[in-house]
Amino acid sequence: MSSISDAITKDHRELEQYYNEVINSHDMDHQERFGNQFTWELARHSVGEELIVYPAFEKYMGSKGHEMAESDRKEHHKVSGTFLLLESKQYDTDILKVKELLKEFQQMKPKEYEYLPKLKEIWTSLSKHMEEEESRDLPALEAALQSQSGESEAMAKSFGRTKAFVPTRSHPSAGEHPPFETVMGLMTAPIDHIADIFRKFPDQTISPNPSTK
């Protein structure tokens, strides 16, 4: 049975595959299909982590887990549209970047000059974030869960189920803390899922079904 680390790492490798499919192709149709797949997977993955994994950091790892969760939330916002400057000191441009960048990218087409540079900009931040999760955060979480029999496997199941119901596009304004993100996700997810019907995806996943991921 898969652990939560297995589930997260599997997503990371798939994101890397989709990124490479876009970057290494000169076919705009191929780029659009895998660019949509990349957006679809990253949006769901990010919200799934924020709803399932980061609360577990805080629950099982105390103050250190809280610091890790907040750091990772900031990295997610760093990869996901336009740079917003908020007066509140709890936000800065770094916090907003992943979701803000993804919001910009998902509105682009391969024929646009900024399409590939924007994706590469996302990957620069995202790959660093994934490396830190795999080498630092997830091993620490698994160690903390050793005394909780079956919890890592249960989290992996919850993570997969959650991804079936969350938005498939980046919505930075939804925030990254439950319950606000949960409510906003339930409001925006149906719109995203319907719009996905009209988007191009790789042939093997013409109509992506998140419940199978």
Side-chain angles (χ1 to χ4, degrees):
M1 189 177 296
S2 296
S3 67
I4 186 60
S5 294
D6 293 334
I8 297 297
T9 302
K10 178 177 180 290
D11 276 9
H12 289 174
R13 299 290 80 77
E14 289 180 356
L15 285 165
E16 184 175 13
Q17 175 192 343
Y18 304 149
Y19 169 78
N20 286 327
E21 288 284 351
V22 178
I23 294 299
N24 295 326
S25 176
H26 298 288
D27 183 300
M28 289 188 181
D29 182 74
H30 188 88
Q31 290 176 328
E32 182 176 356
R33 291 177 186 276
F34 278 95
N36 283 337
Q37 186 78 11
F38 179 87
T39 298
W40 180 80
E41 184 59 50
L42 179 54
R44 295 165 53 248
H45 174 85
S46 297
V47 178
E49 282 193 337
E50 288 160 6
L51 294 179
I52 302 298
V53 180
Y54 301 162
F57 286 164
E58 296 168 327
K59 179 178 180 180
Y60 295 109
M61 300 174 63
S63 59
K64 178 62 177 177
H66 177 74
E67 291 176 7
M68 288 166 53
E70 286 302 300
S71 174
D72 284 352
R73 286 184 179 114
K74 290 180 180 183
E75 286 298 322
H76 276 182
H77 245 84
K78 194 159 80 169
V79 176
S80 298
T82 58
F83 290 93
L84 298 178
L85 293 176
L86 303 184
E87 292 181 358
S88 172
K89 292 184 179 179
Q90 64 180 329
Y91 289 108
D92 57 29
T93 53
D94 273 350
I95 298 176
L96 293 167
K97 199 175 170 187
V98 172
K99 289 182 178 177
E100 291 295 339
L101 287 173
L102 185 60
K103 182 181 177 182
E104 289 184 356
F105 174 74
Q106 70 193 20
Q107 298 169 344
M108 294 179 175
K109 295 289 185 180
K111 64 182 179 181
E112 296 179 50
Y113 176 77
E114 285 297 315
Y115 185 81
L116 290 180
K118 185 64 64 178
L119 181 58
K120 290 178 180 179
E121 188 177 1
I122 291 172
W123 189 253
T124 297
S125 295
L126 181 60
S127 59
K128 178 177 181 292
H129 166 72
M130 295 192 305
E131 181 181 357
E132 289 175 350
E133 276 194 333
E134 292 180 23
S135 65
R136 180 195 67 189
D137 301 351
L138 292 174
L141 177 60
E142 294 290 358
L145 292 175
Q146 285 184 349
S147 61
Q148 308 291 325
S149 179
E151 182 63 21
S152 181
E153 291 77 11
M155 283 179 59
K157 287 184 178 180
S158 295
F159 179 71
R161 287 194 298 266
T162 298
K163 286 170 60 183
F165 299 102
V166 298
T168 61
R169 309 291 275 181
S170 178
H171 301 282
S173 61
E176 70 276 359
H177 291 79
F180 303 106
E181 183 171 52
T182 308
V183 173
M184 290 298 293
L186 289 174
M187 292 173 62
T188 59
I191 299 172
D192 288 349
H193 295 174
I194 292 172
D196 283 340
I197 297 172
F198 303 98
R199 296 186 177 106
K200 291 182 177 181
F201 286 92
D203 290 339
Q204 64 269 32
T205 52
I206 294 173
S207 180
N209 179 4
S211 65
T212 65
K213 298 283 283 176

